[in-house]
Amino acid sequence: MVCAADHRGGAAVRAGSGAAGDARSYRAAGPCSAWRLCWPVVYRDRCCGRGAHCGAAEGGSVIQRKTIAALSLSAAALVSLVLSEGYSDRAIVPVPGDVPTIGFGTTTGVKLGDTITPPKALARALVDVQKFEGALKKCVKVPLSQNEYDVWIQFSYNVGSSAFCNSTAVRKLNKGDYEGACREIDNWVYVKGKRIQGLVNRRAKERDLCLGI
């Protein structure tokens, strides 16, 4: 089991059994005297600075993160996604300037005049989710919690995998700036330069879930 190196140069010394699962607890034997939990549990940064994965010895906020290869969209997140997208039995343009969508937000190959049934719409949504999960797992290089993973899948489902993978949010995420990445969600509330209140409301929920609020 490997513990992330202390970027302040302190060696990691075994200090006892972990606080959750099979994680191991270490104490940095250097300038940062904070307890850290090795894989799969890490603390929010409290002592060593952003991206260092260490936290206060007592009262630290613990986030359980896993390699994204081990994650998949939760059932609750799937329900949230389809509710957020809404259902349409025919192809529509949700807001002026947007692309045609059908069912639960499906856009691939959709043209005005197309129709769909609820079972087929859900089946297409599940296929779409799998595609977005594949894209996320290629461009995100850091471990995520289940909440974070669920949020980023829902977010990318809405904005598109290309836009997501090339976003500032992903760049911050891959640098270990989890909070900064979550706060980038608030910027995605415009369609063709127009601020959409429905997106403002949706992004606020996504951001809060991402931050664990």
Side-chain angles (χ1 to χ4, degrees):
M1 186 170 295
V2 177
C3 195
D6 183 351
H7 79 297
R8 290 195 181 187
V13 179
R14 178 75 178 277
S17 61
D22 62 352
R24 297 291 185 265
S25 181
Y26 287 79
R27 183 180 179 85
C32 178
S33 57
W35 291 98
R36 67 174 66 191
L37 291 180
C38 295
W39 191 254
V41 180
V42 294
Y43 279 117
R44 281 190 188 275
D45 306 326
R46 294 294 176 84
C47 178
C48 289
R50 188 170 64 192
H53 300 310
C54 69
E58 296 180 3
S61 176
V62 179
I63 300 175
Q64 297 186 37
R65 292 193 173 104
K66 301 178 181 179
T67 58
I68 55 175
L71 292 167
S72 60
L73 189 70
S74 68
L78 177 60
V79 171
S80 176
L81 186 153
V82 297
L83 289 176
S84 295
E85 291 292 335
Y87 171 72
S88 175
D89 63 357
R90 63 192 66 249
I92 61 170
V93 176
V95 295
D98 206 349
V99 297
T101 67
I102 198 170
F104 297 107
T106 293
T107 59
T108 303
V110 177
K111 61 183 184 299
L112 293 177
D114 289 349
T115 60
I116 200 168
T117 62
K120 289 183 178 180
L122 184 57
R124 289 189 68 173
L126 291 171
V127 170
D128 290 342
V129 163
Q130 290 175 346
K131 291 179 180 178
F132 286 109
E133 286 189 293
L136 180 146
K137 289 177 180 181
K138 288 181 180 179
C139 66
V140 174
K141 309 299 183 182
V142 293
L144 297 176
S145 69
Q146 184 65 58
N147 272 2
E148 291 165 342
Y149 183 85
D150 287 347
V151 168
W152 292 124
I153 291 296
Q154 293 180 71
F155 178 73
S156 63
Y157 188 101
N158 187 240
V159 305
S161 57
S162 179
F164 169 70
C165 285
N166 290 290
S167 68
T168 300
V170 169
R171 288 195 291 274
K172 288 187 175 182
L173 200 55
N174 285 335
K175 290 180 180 178
D177 185 1
Y178 289 91
E179 180 177 342
C182 292
R183 296 197 180 281
E184 284 293 320
I185 292 173
D186 286 325
N187 296 326
W188 294 76
V189 295
Y190 297 91
V191 175
K192 301 295 183 181
K194 183 178 180 181
R195 193 169 187 266
I196 307 299
Q197 187 59 45
L199 288 178
V200 172
N201 299 339
R202 177 170 178 166
R203 299 297 181 243
K205 292 178 181 178
E206 292 170 340
R207 178 243 302 139
D208 286 351
L209 182 59
C210 189
L211 291 171
I213 297 174

